[in-house]
Amino acid sequence: QAEAAKLVIAAGAWAGGLLTKFLPRLRVVRKHLHWYRTLPGAYSGVESPVFFYETADGYFYGFPSLDGESIKVAEHSGGRELDDPLNASRDLDPIDQRRVEEFLSTYVPQLAVSPSGGLEHTHHSPCMYTLTPDENFLVDRHPDYGNVCFAGGLSGHGFKFASVLGEVLADLAVTGQTEQPIDFLRGDRFG
């Protein structure tokens, strides 16, 4: 049996199961990240190699080639809601892949052209978004246990805020408060 004076919970897709007593229902949505072969130098002359497009068909984003051979592209909107993230399928979703490929062909066809001349899907990886009702993060102290703080509902992009989330959670764990403006992220904002 382990004991600690303070506890920080950042459980990702499993946060809802751990914190259900006092948080709103957190939806877990499975998404897929896709990699496509690209031509060497495909990004030369591109002003912003990281992109995010809001289209009539959804929101799509991508990252430049880190290996010089492929790009990473995914859909931020959509996804399949999961009842149990532990038992989520890791198989490729052909509908998701088709939507990403239609986006690539329409909006950034020059980036995903392989040496063979067309789209070449190299691999994929599933990920899970954990969403609050307003799709803003949850960062707070437990209402019953002042020595427990948590972060959840990070909607698939908490890693981009890791440095400030770490600072806020450390502040909450050590002193019970933070100078950062997190009132809009509190767990009780849903009533």
Side-chain angles (χ1 to χ4, degrees), residues 106-122:
T106 303
Y107 293 96
V108 287
Q110 73 280 13
L111 297 182
V113 177
S114 73
S116 66
L119 287 173
E120 185 181 336
H121 189 261
T122 62

Side-chain angles (χ1 to χ4, degrees), residues 170-188:
D171 289 347
L172 292 175
V174 173
T175 69
Q177 57 191 3
T178 182
E179 291 181 11
Q180 297 297 331
I182 64 165
D183 285 346
F184 73 106
L185 302 176
R186 300 255 182 225
D188 62 4

